[in-house]
Structures are given as structure tokens and as C-alpha cells.
Amino acid sequence: MEIKAIKENYLKQKESVINSKEVNELRINFLGKKGIVNELMSKLKTLSSEEKIEFAKEVNLIKQFISEDIEQLMSDIKKRELNERLAKEAIDLTLPGRDYKSKNKHPLNLVIDEISEICIGMGYKVEEGPEVELDQFNFEMLNLPKDHPARDMQDTFYIDGRTLLRTHTSPVQARVMLKSEGKPIKIICPGKVYRRDDDPTHSHQFMQIEGLVIDENVTLADLKGTLAYIIRSLFGEKREIRFRNSYFPFTEPSVEVDVSCFNCDSKGCSLCKQTGWIEVLGAGMVHPNVLTMAGYDTNKYQGFAFGMGVDRIAMLKYGIDDIRHLYSNDLRFLNQFGGNK
Ligand code: FA5
């Protein structure tokens, strides 16, 4: 009789249950350790052994009925709750999208695109390399062994004893030479580089474009003609270039390249510091040690390489007086570059 009352009680309580939290409460109330069904068991000891068997059977039946029913109830309610949530979260496809304006290219990218186009027109391929570089490629394979004093020219940020933020794009030379297995190369490599520098014309992060040509019968005259063509395409047909002696461990001979001042037509002004010339890049003939380390036959092949500072070219081209403008993300500055070259 008591068991029948429990079932009725359960069915009555069930009617008012509306969410999964309340289903759980219902479960605990009837099937929990101290729940109504378990409490029935305490009556066992007052019964005779025959009654016990009959009573236990009925208790088990009601337990089974309630637990199956609660499981079904829980599953129905969860389904309903999920449907309600989905209906609430439905995306309104008629809402207007966010206005995303695609703006001008960054001046550094304008310069990289322009130089890349000029070089691709001369048959160069574009290669890239990692910014987190091994000492092996940034220095060793460029004829700068450990403890070489010329490493001081490019002080950098080390990640560990053998890994660093590359100080120039020249390590891409070494990587491409190894990959090319002794065959001719004609590439440019644009990318970010890092040094421990910080003043109006030197940033700790800046960009370079490397150029490398390896083939038979490559001479300094080819280097000069190539650079004159690039510089005139960038700064105008009237520009002259001049080579000055310089030193890079990975080229021999090495040169700094100046362009005749386009601001004053070489008469002397503040831009060229009254000299008539502006320095734009470093270059030279690839050092035989570099070729040999990368597996090239120096009796057959020679090469030239150059590395230009993209920031410097952008500053000259657009009359930017502080390199830090290029990295400050100030829209008043960036919006002045209308995407024109
Ligand atoms: C080099 O980095 C050589 N790897 C270039 C090279 C390549 C020579 C291949 C020979 C053959 P240098 O340290 O001079 O050279 O840097 C080249 C250019 O990067 C400079 O002319 C300058 O325009 C630019 N540059 C150097 N340091 C900075 C800096 N901190 N901020 C902005 N531009 C810089």
C-alpha cells in the first residue's frame, strides 16, 4: 500500500518538474541515499522472512520504474532545453555586416612590391627564410665563424646559444645555395630583420631585400649594371650610382653603393648632407669561402649579392624623417600613402 502511495507521490511531483535541475532534485528525493525509496528498506527488519522477499521485490520494481522514468524525463527535458537554446542563438542573416575598409598598403610593402616587380622583370625568383635563424646560416656559412670580430657589426637578440633573430636577409643566401646543389641561382629575398639599434634612422626591427646571382662569368660589371637599373627604376632615369670600398665577410670585393641625390640633383642639400650622394645599400662579389661551404665549384661559378635597407629606401622615396613612423601604426601617417608607387 505504502509503495503505491510512493508511486503516486512521484507521479504528482513529476508533473511540476520543468528543467534538468529539478529532474535532478526529483532523483535525489526518491532515489538518493537518504531518499524515499531507500528509506523503505529500513522497514525490512520488522518483517518476517516471507514478507521480506515480497517486499524487497516490490521495492526493486518501484526503484526500477522511477529510475527509468527519470532517465526518460531527463532526456526529454534536455532535448527541449537544447532546442530552446538553439532557437535563441539563431543567427540573424539579415543583420548588416561590419564595415571593414581595406586601406592603403604600408609604405614598406609598397617599396618591397616595387623592387620585387623590377627584379622579377629581370628574371629573379622571390625566396623567403625564417626570422628566427640559426647562427650557422646567419653567420657561420657567411664566412663569419664563432668569435669573428665582424659579428660586432650586427649585434642582435639571441634566443639561445645557437638561435637568434636574423640580423640581415643574407642567411637566405646560404639556405638557397644549399638547396640549389651547385646549380645557378637568381633570387631576391625580402623580409624582416633585427638588430640592437635604436635612433631616428636605425630601428631594432627593419626590412631588407637581399639579391643573389650565381652563374658562370658573373662579374662586378653585372652587379653595377643590375643595381643601376634597380636604382633608376626606383628614383628616376637621371640617377647615377657610385661604388665605395667596404667590407663584408661574405663578399670580396665589397662595396657600399650610393645614389646621386635626387633631392638637389647632386648640388648638395640637407638630405645628402651636402655631399651630393646618398648611401642606399651594401653589395659585393660572393666570397669564394661562402661558395665553397655551400658546395659550389669556384672554378666554374662566381656570384654577386646585394642587401638593401627597405626602410631607408622608403624614407628617401617618401621624405620620411624618422624611421619610427614606419612602426608606430599611426593612421594619420599611414593614410598618406594612397597605394601609388
Ligand atoms: C648588411 O646587412 C649586409 N647583409 C648587406 C649585404 C648583402 C652586403 C649582400 C653584401 C652582400 P648592412 O649592415 O650595411 O649590410 O645593412 C644593409 C642596409 O640595411 C643598410 O644600408 C641600411 O639601409 C639598412 N640598415 C642597417 N641597419 C639598420 C637599422 N638598424 N635600421 C634600419 N635600417 C638599417
Side-chain angles (χ1 to χ4, degrees):
M1 195 58 206
E2 202 174 354
I3 289 180
K4 206 173 156 218
I6 289 176
K7 188 171 176 182
E8 275 165 13
N9 182 13
Y10 166 76
L11 292 172
K12 191 151 180 271
Q13 284 196 30
K14 178 186 155 184
E15 274 172 24
S16 59
V17 165
I18 51 168
N19 57 36
S20 44
K21 187 170 164 263
E22 288 179 8
V23 179
N24 263 332
E25 283 165 9
L26 187 68
R27 188 204 314 273
I28 292 166
N29 196 14
F30 281 85
L31 301 177
K33 243 190 200 163
K34 291 185 183 156
I36 294 171
V37 174
N38 263 353
E39 256 168 27
L40 280 177
M41 293 308 223
S42 60
K43 295 233 161 75
L44 272 180
K45 52 181 181 282
T46 63
L47 302 174
S48 69
S49 20
E50 266 171 33
E51 284 171 328
K52 266 185 193 164
I53 296 172
E54 190 54 29
F55 186 73
K57 215 163 124 192
E58 282 187 40
V59 172
N60 274 337
L61 279 176
I62 184 77
K63 203 170 175 180
Q64 194 180 349
F65 167 75
I66 294 180
S67 67
E68 281 174 10
D69 197 61
I70 283 189
E71 211 168 294
Q72 184 60 45
L73 182 66
M74 184 64 113
S75 139
D76 292 347
I77 285 192
K78 280 207 162 142
K79 243 184 250 164
R80 202 196 64 221
E81 284 176 344
L82 178 69
N83 284 338
E84 280 170 6
R85 215 168 56 234
L86 288 176
K88 234 194 263 167
E89 286 172 4
I91 298 166
D92 182 355
L93 295 174
T94 62
L95 275 178
R98 283 210 190 113
D99 190 13
Y100 175 74
K101 285 199 179 68
S102 126
K103 278 285 185 173
N104 313 323
K105 274 194 186 165
H106 191 281
L108 291 174
N109 286 332
L110 289 176
V111 170
I112 288 183
D113 286 355
E114 188 172 0
I115 298 174
S116 301
E117 246 172 62
I118 297 165
C119 293
I120 289 167
M122 289 191 283
Y124 285 74
K125 279 199 178 132
V126 181
E127 290 276 356
E128 286 184 341
E131 288 170 33
V132 177
E133 185 54 282
L134 293 172
D135 185 285
Q136 176 198 358
F137 293 111
N138 197 78
F139 290 130
E140 284 165 45
M141 289 204 58
L142 297 175
N143 205 24
L144 276 144
K146 288 225 160 23
D147 303 321
H148 193 290
R151 284 190 178 208
D152 289 351
M153 287 157 59
Q154 301 183 1
D155 200 3
T156 187
F157 304 95
Y158 278 85
I159 285 156
D160 58 36
R162 54 193 282 273
T163 329
L164 44 86
L165 294 185
R166 66 179 179 188
T167 56
H168 49 177
T169 41
S170 303
V172 189
Q173 282 192 36
R175 286 182 173 273
V176 174
M177 278 190 229
L178 279 185
K179 201 169 74 178
S180 305
E181 296 175 334
K183 307 227 170 59
I185 294 174
K186 196 169 179 185
I187 54 155
I188 52 163
C189 339
K192 283 194 214 106
V193 300
Y194 305 82
R195 288 188 200 174
R196 211 172 152 271
D197 286 343
D198 189 15
D199 68 41
T201 53
H202 292 84
S203 167
H204 60 277
Q205 177 203 301
F206 58 104
M207 299 193 90
Q208 288 189 336
I209 293 193
E210 191 84 6
L212 173 70
V213 174
I214 297 180
D215 210 330
E216 294 177 43
N217 304 319
V218 175
T219 69
L220 198 65
D222 296 315
L223 172 62
K224 197 164 185 187
T226 302
L227 291 177
Y229 179 73
I230 296 175
I231 299 284
R232 286 181 188 139
S233 307
L234 278 173
F235 293 109
E237 275 307 310
K238 278 168 63 195
R239 301 285 51 92
E240 292 297 329
I241 62 166
R242 80 173 179 189
F243 280 10
R244 273 182 296 112
N245 277 348
S246 187
Y247 171 72
F248 297 105
F250 32 93
T251 45
E252 180 60 36
S254 301
V255 292
E256 291 296 342
V257 182
D258 298 339
V259 54
S260 59
C261 184
F262 45 82
N263 194 39
C264 62
D265 223 358
S266 299
K267 289 184 193 76
C269 68
S270 60
L271 187 66
C272 61
K273 300 193 186 93
Q274 311 303 329
T275 63
W277 296 94
I278 299 169
E279 182 195 315
V280 281
L281 60 104
M285 299 304 290
V286 181
H287 197 293
N289 286 356
V290 173
L291 289 170
T292 308
M293 271 189 274
Y296 278 83
D297 175 359
T298 50
N299 290 320
K300 189 169 174 200
Y301 289 114
Q302 304 80 40
F304 68 70
F306 56 86
M308 31 186 140
V310 176
D311 306 60
R312 163 138 274 220
I313 292 187
M315 288 171 83
L316 291 171
K317 210 169 152 57
Y318 300 118
I320 300 164
D321 58 358
D322 192 322
I323 194 167
R324 287 168 288 205
H325 289 313
L326 293 168
Y327 296 101
S328 57
N329 284 339
D330 185 341
L331 287 178
R332 288 169 304 178
F333 169 77
L334 294 173
N335 284 341
Q336 295 174 48
F337 301 89
N340 56 324
K341 288 179 185 168

